[in-house]
Amino acid sequence: MPRVTPADRRERILDAAREEFAERGFAAARMEDVAKRVGISRAALYLAFDSKEALFRALVSEVITEMMPTLLPSDYGSLPAPALLRAFVKNAIKRIASPEMAFLPRLIVGEGRNFPELARFYHETAMICILGAIERLIAHGIARGEFACPDPKTAAQCVAGGIIFAALWRNVFEPVGAEPLNVDWMAENQAAMVLYGLTTG
């Protein structure tokens, strides 16, 4: 195994943690197994992250930090809201349903009651971020006269529900024999239905 240098250690640790949590869940994941995947000692891992909980929090923060700029521009400017929302829904479904990300909602649904602090952190870090982005985008469309929506907050929850469904289907139901989800087809149709509801309301 190539020597792990300090410059790439954090990235390697988070990649290893992603693999460990995806395969074993939170409760069964072990710091020593993460260290083995990276090729460092357990002591070296604890110098970077002092607990499994800290490692999980860092991973969630990293995922959100990486993902959000790819889904929406930081400044909408004069961009039309329907085009922004269509792109957001399609890209979000594809990203969140991907194997390297879909384990997170599955893990929270499956183990959140046993680890409420982690569920709370995921809600405050990931869910509020995503819901807030959708709500602001809907408000942008209302301000431009492109959307008709009396309750952007609830509408944002409905949009997010379809996105999370795709992740859970692929990571919970497909492994036990459910029909494989056509992610591209679902993304296209989810976007179309959302826009229909917002533009004809």
Side-chain angles (χ1 to χ4, degrees):
M1 181 176 295
R3 180 175 177 270
V4 181
T5 64
D8 67 356
R9 178 170 293 180
R10 178 181 171 84
E11 182 179 351
R12 292 277 298 276
I13 289 173
L14 292 177
D15 286 344
R18 191 192 308 261
E19 295 171 1
E20 184 72 9
F21 289 133
E23 290 179 15
R24 300 171 62 88
F26 183 80
R30 303 191 308 168
M31 292 288 275
E32 50 263 49
D33 290 331
V34 174
K36 288 178 183 177
R37 288 177 185 269
V38 181
I40 59 176
S41 68
R42 189 167 179 252
L45 177 58
Y46 273 101
L47 285 175
F49 297 96
D50 61 9
S51 68
K52 185 167 64 171
E53 290 79 5
L55 184 53
F56 179 81
R57 290 188 180 96
L59 178 60
V60 171
S61 298
E62 189 89 357
V63 165
I64 295 302
T65 300
E66 290 177 356
M67 182 179 68
M68 290 309 296
T70 70
L71 300 180
L72 280 174
S74 58
D75 182 8
Y76 303 151
S78 60
L79 296 172
L84 286 169
L85 187 58
R86 178 182 293 276
F88 177 90
V89 171
K90 291 172 65 175
N91 291 333
I93 286 179
K94 292 177 183 179
R95 290 294 304 278
I96 294 177
S98 65
E100 64 271 16
M101 296 186 68
F103 75 92
L104 280 170
R106 183 200 70 201
L107 186 153
I108 292 299
V109 170
E111 302 187 63
R113 288 180 63 88
N114 295 327
F115 301 97
E117 288 302 317
L118 294 185
R120 186 176 296 110
F121 178 82
Y122 185 81
H123 171 257
E124 294 173 352
T125 304
M127 293 306 301
I128 288 179
C129 178
I130 293 171
L131 288 169
I134 300 170
E135 188 175 347
R136 288 191 298 273
L137 182 48
I138 292 173
H140 172 68
I142 294 172
R144 287 172 54 86
E146 296 166 331
F147 292 157
C149 179
D151 187 355
K153 182 175 181 179
T154 300
Q157 293 170 340
C158 294
V159 174
I163 296 169
I164 294 173
F165 170 85
L168 294 178
W169 186 274
R170 298 205 72 182
N171 272 258
V172 175
F173 301 119
E174 284 188 16
V176 295
E179 181 180 354
L181 182 69
N182 184 325
V183 174
D184 290 335
W185 179 89
M186 180 179 178
E188 188 67 46
N189 281 273
Q190 174 76 357
M193 288 188 292
V194 166
L195 288 172
Y196 180 81
L198 288 171
T199 55
T200 62

